[in-house]
Structure formats: C-alpha cells, structure tokens
C-alpha cells in the first residue's frame, strides 16, 4: 500500500513539473520595428480618429507626415496623434526613419502607414409632403421622426449604420489623385539630377560648414498636402530627407533627398609633429570616467570629453582615416598623449603614450608587443629565458597609470608588482652565484682579519724593542781601556739599567 501511494505522489510530481516547464515563458528577441495603427478604419465627417506611431526594439529619429506632422526621437515607445475628419475621403499618416536595433546595434531604414476612410453621414428622407397629404396618418409621421432621431451621432462608428448606408459615396470617386510635386528645391547646394515631377530620388553634396538645410516644395494640385518640408538639421556624413505629397484621395508620392555633408575636420591640432583633425564623426566613451562637453579651439566649438576630478580632457582626432581619442592640455593648448580604450584579456584598459623618461629599462628592450592579437608599446626581456614575458604601460578604468605583465604561453595579464620574471633554472643559477659571492666575501673578511692581527703584533714588537736598555762597552770614546774607577762607574750604570728593565 505504501509503495502505491509513493508511486502515485511521484506521478503527480512529474505531471506538475512537466506542465510548469511547458508553460515557462519563452525568451523572444524581437527585431527593431516601426508601425502606425489607427483606432478605427472608418469614421464619419466631424468624427476624430487616433493614429499611434510605435517604435519597438530600437531607437531613432522618426518623421511623421500626412494627416499628422511631427519629427521626434523614439526609443522603444509610442506616440498618439488625434485627427478630425473634416470632409469625406481618407486620412493617412506615414512614419519613416532610421532605427538602431537594440540587439544587433545596426541601423535599419523602416517605414509604415495607416489610412482611415472618412464618410459623409446619411441624411434622413424628407417625409413632410407625405405627412401633409396624409394628415390623418399621425402614427406614420411619428415613426419617421423617430427614425430621424435615431440616426447615428458624431461619435457613432460606421458599424452601427445600417448596411444600405455603408456604400462608398459617389463624391469620393471625384477626389483628385494627383500626388506629384510641381517644384522641389534646397537652400544649400543643388539637387542632382535637376528636379522633375517624375523623378523621386535626388542627391545633394554640401561642405562641412553647413549644419542646416531648408527644403521647399509645391504640390502640382492645390488640394494635395505636403510633409517633410522646412528647416532640417544635418549631421556630418549621410542624411536622408523625405518629402511626401498626399493627393486629395489619399494616395501619396515620396520624394527622397540624400544629403551628404563633408566629414573632413574643421579644426586641426599638432601632435608629435603630425597634424591631426578634430573628427566630426560620432564617438562614444564610457560615462564611468568621462562626460561629453564642448571646447573652443581656434574660435570654433568642437566636441570634447572631460573628467573633472582627474583634470582630464579628451579630443577625438583623426589622421588618414585612423581615429583615436587623445588627451588635450587645456592650459597649454596641446595634445599630450593617445587614449585608446579597449578590453584586453578581461581587463578594461586604455593604451597611452609611454613617456621618454620611462622607455629605458635595465635588461629590457622598448618595442611593439603583440597581446591577444593587438599591438601595443611595451618592453621585452633581453634574456632569452624570458622570451614569453612582456611588460606594458597602460591606464586602467580608474584613471591610474599602471604596469601590466603579460605571459605569452598562458595568454595571461596581471598587475606588475616590480619583480622581474624568472624561471627555475635562472633562479638556481642566481642562487649559486649568490653563494659564490658570499663565500668569496667570507674569505676576504677572514684574510683582512688575519692581516690586521699580524700588523697589530708587528707594531707591538716594535714598541717593545724601542724601550730596551742600551749596553755600554768598557772602552772610552777614544777606544782606550777604562781606568779602574771608570770601570766601577760603568758597572754601576749597567746594573741600574738592568733594574730599570725588570721594572718595565
């Protein structure tokens, strides 16, 4: 019995687990999208309809035209536009723009539209004459009035209208369908090719000093509407402007102008004898260290990045299509070093210039070092036993200038503590040499001690010898034998000297 209960409970547990797994939410990564939706597909004259423009999975500048006109930045959000139907026909809203996909980080040119049919309200039939001729039929007159009062209000939708009143009004067939332009022009540069109503794509090349462009156009039909005209802000490089002409019947034609603004630098600086231009291309840095700002150089405002706490300023400079960040001294007004942020073997670092005073290191060669497929300035060891080691001088993500040691065989990078890389064989040789030096030093010390002892004994002997008494011969100065009295005196003197020597 107990086994049956256990099996029953185990079966229920497995079933619950299976249901739970099957109902887990699936991860779905949606691509960037742009859409336009309508609150209703059909309205009556005098009613309003809401158009909703939505951007999902990305961000970018979106141009809204047609029944609603707008141009704004969308970032995974929506915006609604309420439009009133003033006459029978149709209302259309168009949206287009370049959207950066959050997943792929690539730009996509997207567009969408939505159209709403606007209808005339059906008028009640005139039964006044029938009522006057048939004055006695009051019930019929009352019913007709009730029908009039029950006609749809401004807020009723067409689906509430009887089926015999949903037919397309004949007046709509007479709406003008001309959506062509009569003229199109720009305030700077020239359209290429020259404007023609049947040509919908144009190009304009502008110098780098131009940052705005005014687009003018006129519709071929006076009842058509225009969007996308007026003053446009330009960025260096490629810009796309769309002018949409919408005919009276709702059809439209889009005229595209591709504007290229010269990206060449307008301001130049000197760096180690090279002329570098302040790049006008978009550049981004981690906000952990730097924030974007503006800087004036040679009377012109240029983009810059600063770290106020570390007193650092960066410029984005280019030379022969190669672009990098550089440190800029705002006091001396000069470029001081390169700053190239990168991820290297799990470390967030930035390549910087190595000062000349640090380039010479004992036992090492200053050269180009290849680390994880990237080339950096650093040092290699002259000793072939350390061929797999290299030293780098970089800036970490805290803004500190530090040394990193790279080991080739393990492809590892670590902070350098100041000790030289060494193998076991090299360590044993170094230890043996140290022992030999110690042995030689001991021999020298012992020799000096022995020599010092000998010198001390020699000095002592010399001192003793100098204090020995002098012995007098028993002859006088002239070499003749002494007399008896002189000999007695001589012996007395010798005896006194001997006594003095013993006392000493």
């Amino acid at each position: 019995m107990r086994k049956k209960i256990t099996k029953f409970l185990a079966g229920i547990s497995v079933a619950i687990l299976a249901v739970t797994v099957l109902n887990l939410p699936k991860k779905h990564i949606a691509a960037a999208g742009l859409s336009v939706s309508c609150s209703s597909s059909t309205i009556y004259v005098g009613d309003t309809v809401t158009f909703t423009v939505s951007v999902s999975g990305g961000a970018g500048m979106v141009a809204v035209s047609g029944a609603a006109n707008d141009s704004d930045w969308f970032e995974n959000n929506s915006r609604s536009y309420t439009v009133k139907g003033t006459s029978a026909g149709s209302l259309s809203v168009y949206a287009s723009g370049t959207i950066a996909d959050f997943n792929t980080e690539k730009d996509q040119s997207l567009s969408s539209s939505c159209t709403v049919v606007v209808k005339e309200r059906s008028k009640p039939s005139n039964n006044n004459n029938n009522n006057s001729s048939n004055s006695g039929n009051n019930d019929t007159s009352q019913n007709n009035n009730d029908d009039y009062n029950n006609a749809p209000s401004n807020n009723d939708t067409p689906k509430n209208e009887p089926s015999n009143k949903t037919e397309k009004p004949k007046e709509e067939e007479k709406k003008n369908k001309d959506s062509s332009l009569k003229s199109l022009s720009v305030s700077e540069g020239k359209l290429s090719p020259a404007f023609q109503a049947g040509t919908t794509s144009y190009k304009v090349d502008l110098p780098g000093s131009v940052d705005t462009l005014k687009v003018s156009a006129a519709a071929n039909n006076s009842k058509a509407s225009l969007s996308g005209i007026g003053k446009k802000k330009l960025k260096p490089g490629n810009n796309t402007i769309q002018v949409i002409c919408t005919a009276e019947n709702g059809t439209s034609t889009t005229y595209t102008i591709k504007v290229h603004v010269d990206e060449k630098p307008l301001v130049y600086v000197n760096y180690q004898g090279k002329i570098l231009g302040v790049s006008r291309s978009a550049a981004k840095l981690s906000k952990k260290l730097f924030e974007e700002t503006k800087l004036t150089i040679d009377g012109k405002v240029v983009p810059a990045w600063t770290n106020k706490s570390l007193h650092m300023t960066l410029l984005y400079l280019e030379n022969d299509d190669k672009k990098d960040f550089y440190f800029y001294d705002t006091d001396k007004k000069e470029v001081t070093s390169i700053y190239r942020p990168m991820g290297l073997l799990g470390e967030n670092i930035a390549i910087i210039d190595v000062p000349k005073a640090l380039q010479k290191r004992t036992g090492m060669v200053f050269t180009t070092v290849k680390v994880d497929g990237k080339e950096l300035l650093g040092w290699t060891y002259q000793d072939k036993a350390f061929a797999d080691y290299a030293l780098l001088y970089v800036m970490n993500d805290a803004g500190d200038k530090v040394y990193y040691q790279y080991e080739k065989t393990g492809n590892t990078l670590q902070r350098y503590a100041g000790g030289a890389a060494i193998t076991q064989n090299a360590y044993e040789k170094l230890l043996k040499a140290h022992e030999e030096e110690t042995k030689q030093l001991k021999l020298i010390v012992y020799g000096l001690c022995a020599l010092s002892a000998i010198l001390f004994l020699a000095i002592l002997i010399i001192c003793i010898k100098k204090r020995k008494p002098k012995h007098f011969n028993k002859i006088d100065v002239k070499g003749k034998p002494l007399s008896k009295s002189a000999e007695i005196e001589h012996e007395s003197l010798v005896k006194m000297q001997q006594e003095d020597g013993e006392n000493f």
Side-chain angles (χ1 to χ4, degrees):
M1 183 65 181
R2 184 177 298 174
K3 290 183 178 180
K4 291 183 178 180
I5 295 175
T6 303
K7 290 182 179 180
F8 176 72
L9 294 176
I12 292 177
S13 300
V14 171
I16 294 174
L17 180 61
V19 172
T20 303
V21 171
L22 291 174
N23 286 277
L24 285 175
K26 296 182 180 179
K27 185 177 180 181
H28 178 66
I29 301 176
L34 173 63
S35 63
V36 180
S37 61
C38 316
S39 61
S40 178
S41 61
T42 309
I43 63 172
Y44 289 123
V45 174
D47 291 347
T48 59
V49 63
T50 300
F51 293 88
T52 301
V53 179
S54 302
V55 171
S56 61
M61 186 65 71
V62 176
V64 180
S65 58
N69 288 278
D70 192 12
S71 180
D72 204 351
W73 180 267
F74 283 70
E75 185 170 350
N76 209 28
N77 64 332
S78 303
R79 189 167 286 114
S80 298
Y81 305 89
T82 301
V83 181
K84 185 176 183 180
T86 57
S87 60
S90 63
L91 296 172
S92 298
V93 168
Y94 307 88
S96 62
T98 301
I99 308 301
D101 193 297
F102 285 157
N103 296 318
T104 64
E105 297 184 357
K106 293 182 179 180
D107 291 341
Q108 302 183 42
S109 296
L110 304 175
S111 62
S112 181
S113 64
C114 186
T115 301
V116 176
V117 176
V118 182
K119 292 185 175 183
E120 291 280 2
R121 291 184 179 278
S122 299
K123 296 181 180 179
S125 58
N126 188 358
N127 295 320
N128 290 336
N129 293 332
N130 294 333
N131 293 337
S132 60
S133 60
N134 190 8
S135 58
N137 193 357
N138 294 329
D139 293 338
T140 303
S141 176
Q142 182 64 35
N143 290 335
N144 289 337
N145 289 334
D146 290 342
D147 291 340
Y148 178 79
N149 293 331
N150 290 329
S153 63
N154 288 347
N155 294 325
D156 290 335
T157 58
K159 61 185 179 181
N160 295 329
E161 189 74 10
S163 59
N164 62 345
K165 295 184 180 181
T166 59
E167 296 179 358
K168 187 175 181 180
K170 294 182 179 181
E171 290 80 357
E172 187 174 347
E173 297 177 0
K174 299 179 181 179
K175 300 290 184 181
N176 192 285
K177 61 180 181 179
D178 187 358
S179 61
S180 63
L181 291 179
K182 180 171 62 177
S183 64
L184 178 66
S185 61
V186 290
S187 59
E188 302 286 345
K190 293 182 179 179
L191 294 175
S192 178
F195 172 74
Q196 289 183 353
T199 303
T200 58
S201 295
Y202 300 90
K203 291 183 180 180
V204 177
D205 292 324
L206 297 176
S209 57
V210 179
D211 57 3
T212 57
L213 181 70
K214 185 179 180 181
V215 180
S216 302
N220 195 43
N221 185 273
S222 60
K223 293 184 179 181
S225 60
L226 295 175
S227 64
I229 59 176
K231 197 172 184 180
K232 305 293 180 181
K233 187 172 180 61
L234 303 176
K235 60 180 176 63
N238 296 321
N239 300 263
T240 300
I241 300 174
Q242 291 184 329
V243 177
I244 301 175
C245 181
T246 304
E248 185 183 14
N249 70 344
T251 60
S252 64
T253 301
T254 301
Y255 292 80
T256 303
I257 306 174
K258 293 185 177 180
V259 183
H260 180 77
V261 180
D262 193 349
E263 297 179 87
K264 291 181 180 179
L266 301 177
V267 179
Y268 291 87
V269 293
N270 187 289
Y271 172 65
Q272 295 183 351
K274 297 180 181 179
I275 302 299
L276 303 180
V278 179
S279 178
R280 302 175 66 222
S281 301
K284 292 183 179 180
L285 271 176
S286 171
K287 294 183 179 180
K288 182 177 180 180
L289 269 181
F290 297 94
E291 62 179 8
E292 193 168 355
T293 184
K294 298 291 183 181
L295 191 66
T296 301
I297 300 178
D298 296 336
K300 296 181 180 179
V301 178
V302 298
W305 291 260
T306 62
N307 184 314
K308 295 180 181 178
S309 60
L310 297 177
H311 303 288
M312 295 179 181
T313 300
L314 294 178
L315 293 177
Y316 193 49
L317 306 178
E318 65 179 60
N319 181 29
D320 296 332
D321 296 330
K322 188 175 182 180
K323 302 173 184 178
D324 277 304
F325 287 97
Y326 289 81
F327 285 108
Y328 182 75
D329 191 325
T330 54
D331 296 328
K332 296 181 180 179
K333 299 187 182 303
E334 62 181 20
V335 179
T336 58
S337 171
I338 194 172
Y339 178 85
R340 186 183 300 157
M342 66 171 63
L344 191 66
L345 298 178
E347 298 287 341
N348 293 323
I349 65 168
I351 302 304
I352 58 176
D353 288 339
V354 181
K356 290 185 178 180
L358 300 179
Q359 292 179 6
K360 292 184 178 180
R361 296 182 66 90
T362 303
M364 306 186 81
V365 178
F366 184 68
T367 182
T368 300
V369 180
K370 194 170 184 179
V371 179
D372 201 30
K374 301 174 183 178
E375 293 187 349
L376 305 86
L377 288 177
W379 296 264
T380 56
Y381 290 89
Q382 291 177 337
D383 192 337
K384 293 183 179 179
F386 309 138
D388 292 332
Y389 291 86
L391 195 63
L392 306 175
Y393 181 73
V394 299
M395 178 177 285
N396 61 18
D397 55 0
D400 300 322
K401 299 175 182 177
V402 296
Y403 288 94
Y404 275 88
Q405 184 170 273
Y406 172 68
E407 201 281 319
K408 183 178 180 181
T409 57
N411 199 31
T412 58
L413 191 71
Q414 62 182 2
R415 285 287 294 270
Y416 180 66
I422 188 168
T423 63
Q424 182 64 29
N425 291 334
Y427 175 73
E428 292 175 357
K429 290 180 180 179
L430 184 62
L431 184 60
K432 187 175 181 180
H434 177 69
E435 291 176 352
E436 289 292 334
E437 290 178 359
T438 304
K439 186 176 180 180
Q440 292 177 3
L441 182 61
K442 287 182 179 180
L443 292 175
I444 293 173
V445 171
Y446 293 156
L448 290 175
C449 289
L451 181 60
S452 299
I454 294 172
L455 290 174
F456 177 76
L457 290 175
I459 293 171
L460 183 61
I461 292 171
I462 292 172
C463 291
I464 292 174
K465 284 184 177 181
K466 284 186 177 181
R467 297 185 64 84
K468 283 186 177 181
K470 295 181 180 180
H471 298 279
F472 296 95
N473 296 324
K474 297 179 180 180
I475 58 174
D476 61 3
V477 179
K478 295 180 179 180
K480 296 179 179 182
L482 296 175
S483 62
K484 189 67 177 178
S485 60
E487 186 177 349
I488 294 172
E489 184 178 358
H490 172 73
E491 290 177 356
S492 177
L493 287 172
V494 170
K495 187 177 182 180
M496 291 176 62
Q497 290 178 353
Q498 289 177 350
E499 291 177 354
D500 289 339
E502 291 176 355
N503 292 332
F504 178 79

